Amino acid sequence: EHDESCGYVPATAGTPCTFVCEICNAEAAEEPECICDTKCTEEEVNADCPVCGGENGNISGCIGAEKEPQCVCDTKCTEEEINEDCPLCSAEGAELDKVCVGAAPMLLGAPRSAKQVTYLDENGNEKAVNATVISGSQWNTGWYVSDANLYTFGDRITINGNVNLILANGNTIKCEKGICVPNGSSLTIYAQSTDEDIMGKLSATVDEGNAGIGGNNNDDCGKITINGGYIEAIGTNGGAGIGGGMSSDGGEIIINGGMITAKVETFAAGIGGGNSGDGGTITINGGTVTTNATSGAGIGGGNGSASALPGNGGNITITGGNVKASSTVGAGIGGGSGINVGGSGGNVKISGGIVTANSGSLDNGAGGAGIGGSNLGAGGDVIITGGIVIATAETGTSIDAGAS
C-alpha cells in the first residue's frame, strides 16, 4: 500500500491525479532468455547465451535443439569391424554404407604413391631413394618398400625386369606362394638396418615345384641379390629354397649380408638348382647363411632321378660371412645326389668367412661329401685359400667325392 514514504497524498475528489510514483510504477526486471539453437552440453556451451554462458551460466535452462549425432570414424566401418566409439555406426541396425564417413581402407593391389626412404647398400652405406609401396602380385622394374607391420600375399609374386625391394624396419612380408624371379629378370633385396631386433623380414614358401625365391617349375632362375634383412625361403617338390624351380638351374645368386635361411624338403638344393638342376653361379660375401636339404646339396646342385641326371655344384664362391650348409645325401656344398650317378662338386672357391659343411647318410651308406660330390658324385674342383672351413661327412669324404 502507498504511504507517506513514497510521497503519496490523496487527490482532491473529482480532480485527476498527476503524481507519478517512481517506486510503484517501476517496470519489473526482465528475466534472461536462452538464445541457443543447439542444446548446450558440458563440453560445448554457447558463451553468448545470457542463460547458458558466463560464470553463472546454467545449461539446464537451455532450450536449444538436441545435436544430431555425428560419425567420428577415420576408417570405413564394415559388418566385421565396427567402431564402437562412434554413436552412429555402433547404433543397432545402423546402415554403415550410408552413415559411416570413414575413408575406405587401402587394399593390396591398389595404387600407392612413391615416397623417399633410406636403405643400406651392398657395402652397408645408407642411401635414399623414392620407392613405391608394395602391392599386387606383379612387380615391375623399379624400387619398392614395405610400410606395414605385416603384408601377406596369397598369390605368387612375379618379378618383371629389375626390381629393388627395401625391407623396412619392423615390417614382415609373407609370400605364401613364393616369389618368381625368371631368367632375364632380377630381384635385389635391401634392409634399413643391421639391428637384428628391428630389421625387416621376408618369408617365401611354395608347394608346386617352384622355388621359394627364384624360378618356376621348369624355369631357370634369374638374378637374386640379397644385401640385408631376414630372409626365409622354403622350396618343396623339386623347387629350391632360393634358385631354380624343378628341372631348372640356380641362375645367379649373390649374398652380401642379412640373415638367410633356405631349405627344402625333397629333391632340390637349399640354395642353387632345382631337381636335376645345376647350382648356377652362387657368391656369398657376407651375412649369416643357413641351408638344409635332403637329396640336393645344401648349396649347389639339385637331386637327380631315374630319368634325369643330378645337378652339379655349379660355380660357388665364398669370400665372407658365416655359412652353414647341410644335406642328407647330397653334398653340404657341391653336387646333388642321383640314382646311378651323383652330381659333381663343380667349382668351389673359399677365401674367407666361417664355412661349415656337412653331409649325412642313408641306412644303405649313401652319402655325399662335406664339400664336393654327392653320393656317387665326383669331387669337382675345390680351392680353399682362406677363412675357417669345417667340412664333415658320415660316409663320403670331407672334401672331394661322395660315397660310392
Side-chain angles (χ1 to χ4, degrees):
E1 293 182 2
H2 292 291
D3 58 28
E4 61 217 14
S5 65
C6 72
Y8 169 78
V9 293
T12 302
T15 303
C17 177
T18 60
F19 180 77
V20 178
C21 176
E22 294 181 359
I23 296 176
C24 301
N25 291 345
E27 294 184 4
E30 293 184 1
E31 290 291 330
E33 294 183 359
C34 176
I35 61 172
C36 298
D37 295 323
T38 303
K39 192 81 170 179
C40 289
T41 65
E42 294 292 344
E43 293 76 25
E44 294 184 23
V45 177
N46 182 2
D48 296 329
C49 177
V51 173
C52 304
E55 293 183 7
N56 299 317
N58 183 2
I59 64 173
S60 64
C62 185
I63 61 173
E66 291 287 347
K67 188 175 181 179
E68 291 292 329
Q70 301 290 320
C71 177
V72 298
C73 300
D74 294 323
T75 303
K76 191 78 172 179
C77 288
T78 65
E79 295 296 337
E80 293 74 28
E81 293 188 23
I82 296 176
N83 181 4
E84 297 296 337
D85 295 328
C86 177
L88 285 184
C89 299
S90 62
E92 185 176 355
E95 296 182 63
L96 299 177
D97 58 333
K98 295 181 179 179
V99 300
C100 187
V101 299
M106 182 64 74
L107 300 176
L108 292 177
R112 307 295 292 271
S113 60
K115 62 179 183 178
Q116 189 173 71
V117 294
T118 60
Y119 68 96
L120 300 180
D121 68 9
E122 63 275 15
N123 297 313
N125 299 317
E126 185 174 82
K127 295 185 176 181
V129 69
N130 286 329
T132 301
V133 177
I134 56 174
S135 63
S137 60
Q138 300 289 323
W139 298 357
N140 300 321
T141 295
W143 286 82
Y144 296 82
V145 65
S146 57
D147 76 341
N149 289 338
L150 174 63
Y151 281 91
T152 300
F153 291 94
D155 295 327
R156 185 164 174 81
I157 303 298
T158 298
I159 303 299
N160 302 303
N162 302 315
V163 170
N164 301 280
L165 174 64
I166 299 171
L167 302 177
N169 288 340
N171 287 189
T172 297
I173 302 173
K174 294 180 67 176
C175 301
E176 296 180 336
K177 293 188 178 180
I179 301 175
C180 172
V181 185
N183 189 22
S185 291
S186 70
L187 171 64
T188 304
I189 300 172
Y190 302 89
Q192 292 184 319
S193 170
T194 57
D195 186 338
E196 297 178 7
D197 293 330
I198 63 172
M199 66 182 179
K201 301 178 181 180
L202 170 64
S203 171
T205 59
V206 290
D207 60 357
E208 298 176 354
N210 302 323
I213 303 175
N216 284 341
N217 193 337
N218 290 310
D219 288 332
D220 293 342
C221 177
K223 182 178 180 180
I224 299 170
T225 304
I226 300 173
N227 294 312
Y230 279 102
I231 311 295
E232 181 184 44
I234 301 175
T236 59
N237 293 337
I242 300 175
M246 179 179 285
S247 304
S248 306
D249 295 339
E252 183 178 1
I253 300 166
I254 302 172
I255 299 175
N256 295 313
M259 302 188 70
I260 296 91
T261 299
K263 54 187 178 181
V264 291
E265 296 177 2
T266 54
F267 308 135
I271 297 178
N275 180 43
S276 76
D278 292 336
T281 300
I282 302 169
T283 304
I284 300 175
N285 299 314
T288 299
V289 181
T290 303
T291 70
N292 181 265
T294 53
S295 51
I299 299 174
N303 176 67
S305 65
S307 59
L309 293 174
N312 297 322
N315 298 301
I316 302 170
T317 302
I318 301 175
T319 67
N322 189 342
V323 180
K324 297 179 181 179
S326 64
S327 177
T328 303
V329 188
I333 299 175
S337 68
I339 302 299
N340 298 312
V341 63
S344 71
N347 300 305
V348 180
K349 297 179 181 180
I350 301 174
S351 60
I354 301 173
V355 180
T356 303
N358 172 261
S359 179
S361 66
L362 299 178
D363 292 339
N364 62 8
I371 300 175
S374 70
N375 179 56
L376 301 176
D381 189 7
V382 180
I383 301 174
I384 300 174
T385 60
I388 299 173
V389 179
I390 303 170
T392 58
E394 292 186 10
T395 55
T397 61
S398 297
I399 301 176
D400 198 4
S404 57

